[in-house]
Amino acid sequence: MAIERVFTQPGPDEERFLTSLRPQRLDECVGQEVVREQLRIALDAARKRGEPLDHVLLDGPPGLGKTTLAHVIATEMGAAVRVTSGPAIARQGDLMMMLTQLDTGDVLFIDEVHRLAKVVEEFLYPALEDFRVDYTTESGIGGRTVNFALKRFTMVGATTRAGMLSAALRDRFGLLFHLQYYTEPELVRIVERNAALLKIQADPAALARLASRSRGTPRIVNRLLRRVRDYADVRGDGTLTPSVVDMALDILQIDRLGLDNLDRAYLQSLIKHYDGGPAGIEAIAATMGHERDTLEDVVEPYLLQIGFVIRTPRGRVARPAAYEHLGLATPKRAKDEPGLFD
């Protein structure tokens, strides 16, 4: 059974809304203090030497600001940014066209870089290392290979699954950053800034409540801000109060920890169908009628973060906190699974 979800990938209209709230400079960004400080040093050093920035790899769960940082890097370097994604580059020719259009110092941002086709990835290696490519103009016995020199550019790769990157590709990035979930105070600062940009009247307590239900993710807090604003305009006087936020999120079926229907369905499947685990991700996905990648990339990271689920060699196991949140009795520890429920 497919389950509708609030926290889906943004559509074109949603993307435009989120883009309008995106910070433009590094000093405007909130959170990720270690990443920002390391990036600031690298940017200052590159500008001082008059060189393009080293290639950058950003990894972490969806919605934490990888695309935002790519645009910030381009702005800080005074360069243009070209945006694409791994699945969109199907052939070497697709990548060749983008590479030859880049000017010195420009930023090529490839989202979902772990999904590059192997032949495209290997074609990219000399471009990243030596700023040249060997392109075959025709296939077959009459084919001719031409060596193209490229202008020095910066590639920013983003991935939610760093473990799927090949070692050869990873080694060609000079700067590697892992983005962490945001703290609640950081999300409060983000939503306060964005409410001001959107000219939304809001109580500080209401914005704090939004932040507490946003799963540590800026994209989600921005999306909920938009949904709650709609509710306040239709059912209230346009002002965000704690009660307005609660009523709006109740309609969206987002609970006090930010879990939605899909999160709760995952936990219920694990607990009711598999007695709390251990259970394999393929079995859980089949029970729910969802793709494995959806559960691994979108659902599990936050449940692991808050300690509701753990991964063991035998599969996923629900922790006592998950039972408590769902109002279910915690089972006694099995004799052959010591420590799982301690």
Side-chain angles (χ1 to χ4, degrees):
M1 178 181 65
I3 298 172
E4 293 297 325
R5 192 159 209 244
V6 175
F7 305 137
T8 55
Q9 284 294 325
D13 182 58
E14 190 83 32
E15 188 63 50
R16 283 192 294 271
F17 171 77
L18 296 173
T19 299
S20 69
L21 302 177
R22 188 173 286 156
Q24 302 299 312
R25 313 291 301 205
L26 199 58
D27 289 338
E28 296 174 11
C29 296
V30 175
Q32 310 295 344
E33 297 292 341
V34 174
V35 171
R36 287 195 294 125
E37 185 59 27
Q38 293 177 359
L39 186 56
R40 181 177 287 108
I41 292 171
L43 287 167
D44 289 344
R47 286 193 295 256
K48 186 174 182 179
R49 291 192 298 264
E51 299 175 355
L53 186 68
D54 281 347
H55 303 305
V56 180
L57 177 65
L58 304 170
D59 83 83
L64 298 188
K66 296 183 288 293
T67 302
T68 295
L69 278 178
H71 284 83
V72 165
I73 288 170
T75 302
E76 293 285 354
M77 295 299 295
V81 59
R82 181 73 180 266
V83 179
T84 185
S85 68
I89 309 174
R91 300 171 295 125
Q92 293 180 355
D94 300 332
L95 183 59
M96 182 68 183
M97 182 177 63
M98 286 184 285
L99 291 174
T100 54
Q101 291 176 351
L102 294 172
D103 204 349
T104 301
D106 281 357
V107 172
L108 173 63
F109 175 58
I110 303 182
D111 199 7
E112 297 183 273
V113 69
H114 63 276
R115 294 180 62 186
L116 282 172
K118 189 64 177 177
V119 65
V120 174
E121 180 183 318
E122 292 175 349
F123 181 73
L124 185 60
Y125 293 161
L128 295 177
E129 202 162 21
D130 303 320
F131 299 99
R132 65 168 182 81
V133 287
D134 297 319
Y135 184 67
T136 303
T137 56
E138 297 178 17
S139 60
I141 194 169
R144 189 165 63 95
T145 300
V146 181
N147 183 277
F148 284 91
L150 304 173
K151 296 178 180 178
R152 292 181 63 87
F153 67 96
T154 296
M155 175 173 150
V156 178
T159 177
T160 57
R161 307 184 75 176
M164 292 184 65
L165 285 176
S166 67
L169 180 57
R170 173 185 283 271
D171 289 345
R172 284 169 169 81
F173 290 98
L175 298 166
L176 291 82
F177 301 122
H178 176 72
L179 303 189
Q180 305 280 353
Y181 284 108
Y182 287 65
T183 65
E184 190 171 320
E186 289 169 346
L187 289 173
V188 169
R189 289 169 58 194
I190 290 171
V191 75
E192 285 177 345
R193 170 187 177 272
N194 295 339
L197 288 175
L198 296 172
K199 297 183 170 62
I200 298 174
Q201 297 294 322
D203 294 346
L207 297 181
R209 193 156 300 184
L210 267 181
S212 69
R213 299 196 188 189
S214 297
R215 307 162 63 92
T217 307
R219 178 187 293 166
I220 293 176
V221 80
N222 290 334
R223 186 172 295 171
L224 293 183
L225 177 64
R226 187 184 191 191
R227 302 286 175 86
V228 173
R229 179 186 64 172
D230 291 344
Y231 181 90
D233 287 340
V234 173
R235 299 287 178 87
D237 60 2
T239 300
L240 270 57
T241 64
S243 61
V244 166
V245 169
D246 287 342
M247 288 186 285
L249 296 187
D250 283 346
I251 290 176
L252 295 174
Q253 296 184 303
I254 298 171
D255 64 30
R256 60 182 178 82
L257 291 183
L259 305 189
D260 68 357
N261 279 338
L262 185 56
D263 301 308
R264 290 189 292 271
Y266 174 96
L267 294 173
Q268 287 168 351
S269 294
L270 178 57
I271 291 171
K272 294 183 178 179
H273 290 276
Y274 301 101
D275 298 323
I281 186 62
E282 293 284 2
I284 299 172
T287 301
M288 296 177 62
H290 274 270
E291 294 293 328
R292 169 180 179 160
D293 287 350
T294 300
L295 301 184
E296 286 189 320
D297 293 345
V298 182
V299 177
E300 287 190 336
Y302 186 65
L303 296 179
L304 291 166
Q305 176 81 7
I306 61 176
F308 275 22
V309 173
I310 58 173
R311 290 174 176 167
T312 74
R314 297 174 58 189
R316 276 60 171 174
V317 177
R319 296 289 292 162
Y323 289 86
E324 182 179 348
H325 185 72
L326 296 177
L328 302 174
T330 305
K332 293 182 179 180
R333 185 178 65 206
K335 292 182 180 179
D336 60 343
E337 295 171 2
L340 290 182
F341 294 101
D342 284 347

